[in-house]
Amino acid sequence: MRPSADGNAGALFWSSLPPGGEQLTGVIRSEPFDPPKTLTFFMAGHNGPPGETLPKRNVMRLLDAKTGEMLAEAFPPRDDVARKVTWDLKKFAGRAAV
């Protein structure tokens, strides 16, 4: 569980922290779905230690299910408090996404 900017202290988040910590990496993919007009979620976390500029490898992406084209992406806020992210997806109506 993580604190969230919306005050919802009971929400669960996927986390790369123990066991394994940030030494382990991976990809989580959804099944293809029809994207809504807007997609809102909360995201917390970092891209490496605070104060350091590192390659941005910790990312959430929405991809076209057929072509792999990136439709939207968001990077963590470099904060342990989850921040709201909203993607405007109207222009992708009719395209399956993952």
Side-chain angles (χ1 to χ4, degrees):
M1 296 198 324
R2 292 263 185 209
S4 184
D6 65 351
N8 182 351
L12 297 175
F13 291 88
W14 284 332
S15 178
S16 63
L17 293 178
E22 294 176 348
Q23 302 303 313
L24 302 177
T25 62
V27 174
I28 299 172
R29 287 194 204 276
S30 70
E31 292 294 320
F33 66 96
D34 294 326
K37 292 179 183 178
T38 60
L39 181 64
T40 299
F41 56 93
F42 282 78
M43 186 178 196
H46 301 269
N47 263 310
E52 291 186 23
T53 302
L54 299 171
K56 292 184 174 184
R57 290 186 256 170
N58 190 10
V59 62
M60 294 277 289
R61 289 191 178 120
L62 182 70
L63 306 175
D64 182 287
K66 292 181 183 172
T67 67
E69 175 190 355
M70 183 174 50
L71 306 178
E73 75 176 349
F75 296 97
R78 299 201 79 155
D79 195 335
D80 290 334
V81 175
R83 304 290 177 198
K84 185 177 182 179
V85 177
T86 300
W87 289 334
D88 180 356
L89 304 174
K90 289 186 279 291
K91 62 185 173 186
F92 304 118
R95 293 173 73 173
V98 293

